[in-house]
Amino acid sequence: MSIVFLIIIVAILVIVTKGKGIKVPNFGINGNSLLIGYFAVLVILSLLFYFIPYELTPLAEEDRLRELEDIDAQIYHAANNGTLDKVDALYVKDRWSEPLSGNSIKIILPEEGPASALIYAERKSEKDGKIDITHYETRSVFQDIDFESHQLQVKDNSVEVINPKPIHIKVAGLNKEFTITQFTGEDGYYSNIPFTGIVGTEVFYLRIPKDVEVEGDIWFVKE
Amino acid sequence: MMSLTEISFVEVVRKQHAFKLKSYGGVFTSLVMIQFIALLFSFGASGGMGSSSGSISYEISYYSGWIIISFTYLWAFITAILITTKAYRNDDFTFVSNRLTSNLSNIFFLLTASLIGGVTALLASNVIKLLVVLFYDLDYVIGASLTIQDFFIGLLSTTLYIFMFTAAGYLVGTLVQLHKLFVIIIPAVFIGGLFVDVGQFQLISRISEFYVAEASFLLFVIKSVITVVLLFLTSIVLSNRLEVKQ
C-alpha cells in the first residue's frame, strides 16, 4: 500500500511542476454541497450504528479462563490416575447405569475420533450385568458462549460415543481505530481484539463388570 | 495606526480563508471520493484468523477504519502539495495580500480541511461497522463500544495526524516550487529513509514511532503541534525565498 502511495505522490509532484500546476478537479459537482450531504449521511448512519439492536459478545475474562484451565488439568490428571471419584461433584454432568445382555461389549468411537472427550474404564469387582457411566464435564467457553456436549449411548451391547454437531462460528471483530487505541491503553497500532476461549474437558468413565469382555480402543485405569 | 494595520492583516487572512473554503470545492469533492473508495476497501476485513478445536471451529474477521484514515492522510498530503502550486497561488492576487497572508490563509484552510477530514474519517469508520453488522451473516460480534471520550480523543488525534500530513505536504510542495530537483530528491530521501538504520531501526520507522508509540495524549498533542509549527514555519521562510526568486 505504501508503495502505491509513494508512486501517487511522485506522480503528483511531477504534475505540479509542469506549467501552472493543477487544481483538484471538482468533476462538475459543488464540493461544499457534496460535503454537507456526505456529512449528513455519515452522521445519520453513525447514529444508527449506536441504536441498532446488535449485541457485543463480552470478552471472556483472563482469570476465568485460567481457572477453567486449572479445573480441566485436575480432571485430566484424576482420570489418568483413577481418582475421578474424588473430583468435585460439580463437574459430574450425569451418572447412570445401563443393563448388559451378553458377556461382551463393543466400544464405538466416532470415525474421526472423539472431538474433545476422553474415555476411561475400570473393572468392577462385581458381575452385576450392568455398566455404570459417569460423564464429567467442564465448561467450554468461547467469549461466554456455551456449546453442546458429547453423547454416550449404550445399545445392543455396544457403547457408542457421539460427537457434538460441528459448529462453525463466524465472528466480526470491530476494532477501535488506532488513533484511539494509541491513547486508551488498549492494544496499540493495528491490533485486534483477542478472541479467546477454551474447549472444556469431557470424560466418560465406564465401570465394566468383571466378566464382560471389551472390544475396541479404551484405556483401563483400573483392571 | 498600528492597530489599524493589524486589523487589516487579520481581516485579509480571514477573507482569504473564507474565499478558499468557498472556492476550493474540488478539495472536498476529492475527500468524499477518496473516503468512499476507502469505505469500499474497508468493507473487506482488515485482518482475520481462524482456528478449530474439537467440533468447534471459528473464523474471525476484523474491521476498522484504518484504511479510511490512511487514505485521508494521503488526501491531506496531496491537497497540501497542490495548494502550493501556481494554479492556487494566483487566486491570492484577487486580494490585497502578501506572501504571509497567503501562507496563513492556506494554513487555516488546511487546518479546517484537516478537521473536516478527521470528523468524516471517524464517522465513516462507524459506517463500515454498521454495514458489517447489518449485511454480514454473523454469529457473534466482538469489540468494545466507542465511548464519547474515545470519539473525541480519536477526533482530535486523527485531525492532528491529518494536519501533520498537510504540514509535510505543504513543505514538500514549497520545496518543489523552489526547485524541480526536489521531485527526485524528496522520494529518494524517503526511500533511503526506509533502509537507513538509525540505532536498530529504519529512519522512517523511527520518525513514525515518535508519534504513534506516544501513549500520552498530552505529549502527543505537544509533539504534533511543535512538528506542525516547525514544518509550516519552514515553508513560510522558504516561500519568501520563492517570491524573491520569481
Side-chain angles (χ1 to χ4, degrees), chain A residues 39 177-180 183, chain B residues 69 73 111 114-123 146-163 217 220-221:
Chain A
F39 183 73
E177 283 58 49
F178 58 85
T179 50
I180 299 170
F183 308 107
Chain B
I69 294 173
Y73 292 165
L111 176 62
S114 301
L115 185 63
I116 291 169
V119 174
T120 51
L122 271 195
L123 291 176
L146 202 65
T147 62
I148 294 287
Q149 194 192 357
D150 288 341
F151 184 80
F152 281 103
I153 286 175
L155 178 64
L156 195 54
S157 64
T158 309
T159 302
L160 279 170
Y161 272 120
I162 296 170
F163 198 36
F217 186 64
F220 170 77
V221 171

Coordinates of all heavy atoms in Angstrom, one line a residue, chain A residues 39 177-180 183, chain B residues 69 73 111 114-123 146-163 217 220-221:
Chain A
F39 N -21.6 14.5 4.9 CA -21.5 14.7 6.3 C -22.8 14.3 7.0 O -22.9 13.5 8.0 CB -21.1 16.1 6.7 CG -20.9 16.3 8.2 CD1 -19.8 15.8 8.8 CD2 -21.9 17.0 8.9 CE1 -19.7 16.0 10.2 CE2 -21.7 17.2 10.3 CZ -20.6 16.7 10.9
E177 N -10.3 2.4 16.2 CA -9.3 2.9 15.3 C -8.0 3.2 16.1 O -8.0 3.5 17.3 CB -9.7 4.3 14.7 CG -10.7 4.1 13.5 CD -12.0 3.4 13.9 OE1 -12.6 3.7 14.9 OE2 -12.3 2.4 13.2
F178 N -6.8 3.0 15.4 CA -5.5 3.1 16.1 C -5.3 4.5 16.6 O -4.5 4.7 17.6 CB -4.4 2.7 15.2 CG -4.3 3.5 13.9 CD1 -3.6 4.8 13.9 CD2 -4.8 3.1 12.7 CE1 -3.5 5.5 12.8 CE2 -4.7 3.9 11.6 CZ -4.1 5.1 11.6
T179 N -6.0 5.5 16.1 CA -5.8 6.9 16.6 C -6.5 7.0 18.0 O -6.4 8.0 18.6 CB -6.4 7.9 15.6 OG1 -7.7 7.6 15.2 CG2 -5.5 8.1 14.4
I180 N -7.3 6.0 18.3 CA -8.0 6.0 19.6 C -7.2 5.0 20.6 O -6.8 5.4 21.7 CB -9.4 5.5 19.5 CG1 -10.2 6.5 18.6 CG2 -10.1 5.4 20.9 CD1 -11.6 6.0 18.3
F183 N -4.1 5.9 22.7 CA -4.1 6.6 24.0 C -5.0 6.0 25.1 O -5.0 6.5 26.2 CB -4.7 8.0 23.7 CG -3.9 8.7 22.6 CD1 -4.5 8.9 21.4 CD2 -2.6 9.2 22.8 CE1 -3.8 9.5 20.3 CE2 -1.9 9.8 21.8 CZ -2.5 10.0 20.6
Chain B
I69 N -8.7 6.2 7.3 CA -7.8 7.2 7.9 C -6.6 7.3 7.1 O -6.1 8.4 6.8 CB -7.6 6.8 9.4 CG1 -8.8 6.9 10.2 CG2 -6.5 7.7 10.0 CD1 -8.8 6.5 11.7
Y73 N -5.1 10.6 5.1 CA -3.7 11.1 5.2 C -3.1 11.4 3.8 O -2.6 12.5 3.6 CB -2.7 10.1 5.9 CG -3.0 9.8 7.3 CD1 -2.3 8.7 7.9 CD2 -3.7 10.6 8.1 CE1 -2.5 8.4 9.3 CE2 -3.9 10.3 9.5 CZ -3.3 9.2 10.0 OH -3.5 8.9 11.4
L111 N -6.0 23.6 8.1 CA -6.5 23.2 9.4 C -8.0 22.8 9.4 O -8.4 21.8 9.9 CB -6.2 24.3 10.4 CG -6.8 24.1 11.9 CD1 -6.1 22.9 12.5 CD2 -6.5 25.3 12.7
S114 N -8.4 19.6 7.6 CA -7.9 18.5 8.4 C -9.0 18.1 9.4 O -9.3 16.9 9.7 CB -6.7 18.9 9.2 OG -5.6 19.2 8.4
L115 N -9.7 19.2 10.0 CA -10.8 18.9 10.9 C -11.9 18.2 10.2 O -12.4 17.2 10.7 CB -11.2 20.2 11.5 CG -12.3 20.1 12.6 CD1 -11.7 19.4 13.9 CD2 -12.7 21.5 13.1
I116 N -12.2 18.7 9.0 CA -13.3 18.0 8.3 C -12.9 16.6 7.9 O -13.7 15.6 8.1 CB -13.6 18.8 7.0 CG1 -14.3 20.2 7.4 CG2 -14.5 18.1 6.0 CD1 -14.4 21.2 6.3
G117 N -11.6 16.4 7.5 CA -11.1 15.1 7.2 C -11.2 14.2 8.4 O -11.6 13.0 8.3
G118 N -10.8 14.7 9.6 CA -10.8 13.9 10.8 C -12.2 13.5 11.2 O -12.4 12.3 11.5
V119 N -13.1 14.4 11.2 CA -14.5 14.1 11.6 C -15.1 13.1 10.6 O -15.7 12.0 11.1 CB -15.4 15.4 11.6 CG1 -16.8 15.0 11.9 CG2 -14.9 16.4 12.6
T120 N -15.0 13.3 9.3 CA -15.6 12.4 8.4 C -14.9 11.0 8.4 O -15.6 10.0 8.2 CB -15.6 13.0 6.9 OG1 -14.2 13.4 6.6 CG2 -16.5 14.2 6.8
A121 N -13.6 11.0 8.6 CA -12.9 9.7 8.6 C -13.4 8.8 9.8 O -13.7 7.6 9.7 CB -11.4 9.9 8.8
L122 N -13.6 9.5 11.0 CA -14.1 8.7 12.1 C -15.5 8.3 12.0 O -15.9 7.2 12.3 CB -13.9 9.6 13.4 CG -12.6 9.5 14.2 CD1 -12.7 10.0 15.5 CD2 -12.1 8.0 14.2
L123 N -16.3 9.2 11.4 CA -17.7 8.9 11.2 C -17.8 7.7 10.2 O -18.6 6.8 10.3 CB -18.5 10.1 10.7 CG -18.8 11.2 11.8 CD1 -19.5 12.4 11.1 CD2 -19.6 10.7 13.0
L146 N -17.6 2.2 21.5 CA -16.9 3.5 21.4 C -17.6 4.5 22.4 O -18.7 4.8 22.2 CB -16.9 4.0 20.0 CG -15.9 5.0 19.5 CD1 -14.5 4.3 19.6 CD2 -16.2 5.4 18.1
T147 N -16.8 5.0 23.4 CA -17.5 6.0 24.3 C -17.3 7.4 23.7 O -16.5 7.6 22.7 CB -16.8 5.9 25.6 OG1 -15.4 6.3 25.4 CG2 -16.8 4.6 26.3
I148 N -18.0 8.3 24.2 CA -17.9 9.7 23.8 C -16.5 10.2 23.9 O -16.0 10.8 23.0 CB -18.9 10.6 24.6 CG1 -20.4 10.2 24.3 CG2 -18.7 12.1 24.3 CD1 -20.9 10.6 22.9
Q149 N -15.9 9.8 25.0 CA -14.5 10.2 25.3 C -13.6 9.6 24.2 O -12.7 10.4 23.7 CB -14.1 9.7 26.7 CG -12.8 10.4 27.1 CD -12.2 9.6 28.4 OE1 -12.8 8.7 28.9 NE2 -11.0 10.1 28.8
D150 N -13.8 8.3 23.9 CA -13.0 7.7 22.8 C -13.1 8.5 21.5 O -12.2 8.8 20.8 CB -13.5 6.3 22.5 CG -13.1 5.3 23.6 OD1 -12.2 5.7 24.4 OD2 -13.7 4.2 23.7
F151 N -14.4 8.9 21.2 CA -14.7 9.6 20.0 C -13.9 10.9 19.9 O -13.3 11.2 18.9 CB -16.2 9.8 19.8 CG -16.5 10.4 18.5 CD1 -16.6 9.6 17.3 CD2 -16.7 11.8 18.3 CE1 -16.9 10.2 16.1 CE2 -17.0 12.3 17.1 CZ -17.1 11.5 16.0
F152 N -13.9 11.6 21.0 CA -13.3 12.9 21.0 C -11.8 12.8 21.0 O -11.1 13.6 20.3 CB -13.8 13.8 22.1 CG -15.1 14.4 21.8 CD1 -16.3 13.9 22.3 CD2 -15.2 15.4 20.8 CE1 -17.5 14.4 22.0 CE2 -16.5 15.9 20.5 CZ -17.6 15.4 21.1
I153 N -11.2 11.8 21.7 CA -9.8 11.6 21.6 C -9.4 11.2 20.1 O -8.5 11.8 19.6 CB -9.4 10.4 22.5 CG1 -9.4 10.9 24.0 CG2 -8.0 9.9 22.2 CD1 -9.1 9.8 25.0
G154 N -10.2 10.3 19.5 CA -10.0 9.9 18.2 C -10.1 11.1 17.2 O -9.3 11.2 16.3
L155 N -11.1 11.9 17.4 CA -11.3 13.1 16.6 C -10.1 14.0 16.6 O -9.6 14.4 15.6 CB -12.6 13.8 17.0 CG -12.9 15.1 16.3 CD1 -13.3 14.8 14.8 CD2 -14.1 15.8 16.9
L156 N -9.7 14.3 17.8 CA -8.5 15.3 17.9 C -7.2 14.7 17.4 O -6.5 15.3 16.7 CB -8.4 15.7 19.4 CG -7.5 16.9 19.7 CD1 -8.0 18.1 18.8 CD2 -7.5 17.3 21.1
S157 N -7.0 13.4 17.8 CA -5.7 12.8 17.3 C -5.7 12.6 15.8 O -4.7 12.8 15.1 CB -5.4 11.5 18.1 OG -6.4 10.6 17.8
T158 N -6.9 12.2 15.2 CA -6.9 11.9 13.8 C -6.7 13.3 13.1 O -6.0 13.4 12.1 CB -8.3 11.3 13.4 OG1 -8.5 10.2 14.2 CG2 -8.3 10.9 11.9
T159 N -7.4 14.3 13.6 CA -7.2 15.7 13.0 C -5.8 16.1 13.1 O -5.2 16.6 12.1 CB -8.1 16.7 13.7 OG1 -9.5 16.2 13.6 CG2 -8.0 18.0 13.1
L160 N -5.1 15.9 14.2 CA -3.7 16.3 14.3 C -2.8 15.5 13.4 O -1.9 16.1 12.8 CB -3.2 16.1 15.8 CG -3.7 17.2 16.7 CD1 -3.4 16.8 18.2 CD2 -3.0 18.5 16.4
Y161 N -3.1 14.2 13.3 CA -2.3 13.4 12.3 C -2.5 14.0 10.9 O -1.5 14.1 10.1 CB -2.7 11.9 12.3 CG -2.0 11.1 13.3 CD1 -2.7 10.4 14.3 CD2 -0.6 10.8 13.2 CE1 -2.1 9.6 15.2 CE2 0.0 10.0 14.1 CZ -0.7 9.4 15.1 OH -0.1 8.6 16.0
I162 N -3.7 14.2 10.5 CA -4.0 14.8 9.2 C -3.3 16.1 9.0 O -2.7 16.4 8.0 CB -5.5 14.9 8.9 CG1 -6.2 13.5 9.0 CG2 -5.8 15.5 7.6 CD1 -7.7 13.5 9.0
F163 N -3.4 16.9 10.0 CA -2.8 18.3 9.9 C -1.3 18.2 9.8 O -0.7 18.9 9.1 CB -3.2 19.1 11.2 CG -3.0 20.6 11.1 CD1 -3.2 21.2 9.9 CD2 -2.6 21.3 12.1 CE1 -3.1 22.6 9.7 CE2 -2.4 22.7 12.0 CZ -2.7 23.3 10.8
F217 N -1.6 11.3 25.6 CA -2.3 12.2 24.7 C -1.8 13.6 24.7 O -1.6 14.2 23.7 CB -3.8 12.2 25.0 CG -4.7 12.9 24.0 CD1 -4.7 12.4 22.7 CD2 -5.3 14.0 24.3 CE1 -5.5 13.1 21.7 CE2 -6.1 14.7 23.4 CZ -6.1 14.2 22.1
F220 N 1.5 13.7 23.0 CA 1.2 13.6 21.5 C 0.8 14.9 20.9 O 1.3 15.3 19.9 CB 0.2 12.5 21.2 CG -0.3 12.5 19.8 CD1 0.5 11.9 18.8 CD2 -1.5 13.1 19.4 CE1 0.1 11.9 17.5 CE2 -1.9 13.1 18.1 CZ -1.1 12.5 17.1
V221 N -0.1 15.6 21.7 CA -0.6 16.9 21.2 C 0.6 17.9 21.1 O 0.8 18.6 20.1 CB -1.7 17.5 22.1 CG1 -2.0 18.9 21.7 CG2 -2.9 16.6 22.0

